Amino acid sequence: MARKRTLQVSINNALLVSRSDYADTLTRIVEEGHCPFCEENLFRHHSEALLFKTTHWLATRNAWKYEGAKHHFLLIYRKHTENAAELPDSAWTDLGKAFAKLSKEHGLTGCTLFMRSGDMRRTGASVRHLHAQIVMGALRTKDTQPIAALIGFKGKK
């Protein structure tokens, strides 16, 4: 049976950087009341295939990748955890191995790696479950534009 949790998603954060039907999907997840990144729920709404599992992480493409990203992967912690400070050392080692595997298999010659940890009101995350994102864009030229991604919020000056 799926774990029931409250406040596991932020539709408001998802609306700040529009991506296809993502906010609509999160609305359905809120109605169902489950964590969309817990392993037993992940593929109820996430259309991308599982790339691989490690002891601590699930690797998949992001079904709602950032506009302009050539690659956008998720490494989702397999145990429902919200804060990276709670990870054992073995999970950090495993994360490094998973990142290296994705880099090698997908030719990630340059990418951005960031982790969503803790309070969604600070991180801009739309899912309250520890996960890392790996985003690779195009080579910068005079014609390229930046990839828009929410990574937090500015305070008042």
Side-chain angles (χ1 to χ4, degrees):
M1 183 171 167
R3 285 182 222 144
K4 288 277 195 175
R5 298 185 184 278
T6 58
L7 301 172
Q8 293 307 303
V9 301
S10 172
I11 296 166
N12 290 334
N13 285 354
L15 290 170
L16 292 172
V17 178
S18 180
R19 290 179 281 159
S20 163
D21 66 342
Y22 188 48
D24 293 336
T25 300
L26 289 178
T27 299
R28 287 192 302 276
I29 290 168
V30 167
E31 290 169 359
E32 292 175 12
H34 62 266
C35 174
F37 279 1
C38 282
E39 196 166 350
E40 67 270 16
N41 300 322
L42 182 61
F43 296 103
R44 291 171 75 170
H45 299 284
H46 188 81
S47 61
E48 294 294 320
L50 180 68
L51 298 173
F52 61 86
K53 290 182 186 183
T54 68
T55 302
H56 296 281
W57 302 92
L58 301 171
T60 184
R61 290 186 181 276
N62 192 331
W64 295 276
K65 73 180 188 175
Y66 295 139
E67 182 180 347
K70 180 175 180 178
H71 294 291
H72 189 169
F73 299 102
L74 296 175
L75 289 169
I76 302 166
Y77 194 60
R78 292 181 68 182
K79 178 181 175 189
H80 186 89
T81 302
E82 297 174 8
N83 195 313
E86 299 171 11
L87 292 181
D89 291 344
S90 59
W92 289 106
T93 300
D94 201 32
L95 178 67
K97 290 176 183 176
F99 176 80
K101 180 178 174 69
L102 283 170
S103 293
K104 182 178 180 183
E105 290 179 358
H106 299 279
L108 304 182
T109 57
C111 60
T112 301
L113 167 67
F114 63 98
M115 185 173 279
R116 301 287 194 181
S117 172
D119 192 337
M120 294 188 300
R121 296 171 301 170
R122 294 188 181 276
T123 67
S126 53
V127 177
R128 186 188 306 268
H129 183 127
L130 184 66
H131 61 287
Q133 298 194 39
I134 302 165
V135 180
M136 184 174 111
L139 288 173
R140 184 177 182 178
T141 69
K142 63 181 177 114
D143 299 320
T144 56
Q145 297 295 314
I147 294 171
L150 177 60
I151 58 167
F153 303 97
K154 296 185 221 177
K156 292 183 180 182
K157 293 182 179 183

